[in-house]
Amino acid sequence: SYRWTRGVAERRISESTVLTLAQIDRNMETMFGSVHDISLFLIANRNVRGYLRSASPDGPGALLFREYLNDDLANLVASKSFILSVNVYGEGGFAYESGGPSRIIADGTGPYREPAIPPSGELVKSGTYTRHYLALGNRRVISFYRQMNDPNRLTRRIGTMRIDLDEAAVAALHAQKGPGSRAYGFACDEDGRVLTHPDAALIGRSL
């Protein structure tokens, strides 16, 4: 009968929606978990510390450590298409950027505000903003920052890191739907500001 057929269809749509949301949640956990793992890798990496402790950014020691870093990060970043760039900065002009030079671009969502980076080494994220990469062009990104402390002296700061995620890749996870599913996902920061959404017009707005 019509009522029975409609009831079966509604149950299947509901089940598909729940499964879709569960898969989106797992994908997001995997993605942000990868950022956390990479940040720990950078903190523990001897070549990162060697680079930041070099006599000068352009000296032979620093250049050698940069080559080592390229090798360390090549496969790690290549296997995660949602990561645009892994960046390490130190005092005195030290700057390692796996995605090449980049700069912030005004995109009409208001001035970009870099989040306060706690000295404790906690990982913090930015809002969504536009960044221009020399090799990639303009990309909407979500950046994760972390202070890097000396593992042997945790109160001694040796630099900072920034890991840039491609917002379009994050949004693509939200757009994945199972058959008959009407579900979609989006991410907000602690203040209720939309970080990523299948409807790009909503990014940066407060809910």
Side-chain angles (χ1 to χ4, degrees):
S1 69
Y2 165 73
R3 287 184 179 179
W4 180 85
T5 303
R6 186 184 66 177
V8 171
E10 287 177 348
R11 283 196 300 273
R12 288 181 177 174
I13 289 173
S14 177
E15 290 171 359
S16 177
T17 298
V18 170
L19 290 174
T20 297
L21 290 175
Q23 185 60 53
I24 289 173
D25 186 56
R26 285 192 295 271
N27 291 343
M28 293 293 289
E29 285 187 0
T30 298
M31 181 177 290
F32 291 130
S34 294
V35 172
H36 177 72
D37 291 344
I38 290 174
S39 74
L40 295 179
F41 172 81
L42 292 175
I43 290 171
N45 188 278
R46 293 182 179 180
N47 293 322
V48 170
R49 297 199 301 274
Y51 171 66
L52 295 175
R53 290 171 177 166
S54 299
S56 70
D58 301 320
L63 296 178
L64 183 60
F65 279 118
R66 287 177 66 90
E67 291 184 12
Y68 292 155
L69 275 173
N70 286 335
D71 293 338
D72 290 343
L73 293 173
N75 293 330
L76 188 64
V77 176
S79 66
K80 296 173 174 55
S81 60
F82 52 86
I83 293 180
L84 292 173
S85 186
V86 175
N87 314 277
V88 175
Y89 302 100
E91 296 180 3
F94 287 88
Y96 175 85
E97 299 167 314
S98 70
S102 66
R103 58 189 173 88
I104 297 168
I105 296 292
D107 60 3
T109 59
Y112 173 72
R113 296 181 179 86
E114 183 176 299
I117 304 175
S120 62
E122 179 185 354
L123 196 65
V124 294
K125 62 182 175 295
S126 73
T128 302
Y129 67 103
T130 301
R131 196 166 196 100
H132 178 80
Y133 297 87
L134 192 61
L136 302 172
N138 289 358
R139 297 292 186 94
R140 269 187 165 169
V141 303
I142 303 170
S143 293
F144 287 76
Y145 297 81
R146 190 169 199 167
Q147 177 168 307
M148 301 177 66
N149 298 327
D150 189 330
N152 300 317
R153 289 178 54 193
L154 294 178
T155 58
R156 179 176 177 268
R157 176 183 177 274
I158 60 173
T160 59
M161 71 177 75
R162 191 189 77 241
I163 302 173
D164 299 335
L165 265 65
D166 186 355
E167 186 278 328
V170 181
L173 294 179
H174 301 155
Q176 294 176 1
K177 298 181 180 182
S181 174
R182 299 176 182 177
Y184 66 88
F186 60 93
C188 296
D189 63 14
E190 293 80 359
D191 299 321
R193 183 178 49 180
V194 176
L195 293 174
T196 177
H197 196 288
D199 182 355
L202 296 177
I203 293 175
R205 295 187 181 182
S206 297
L207 298 180

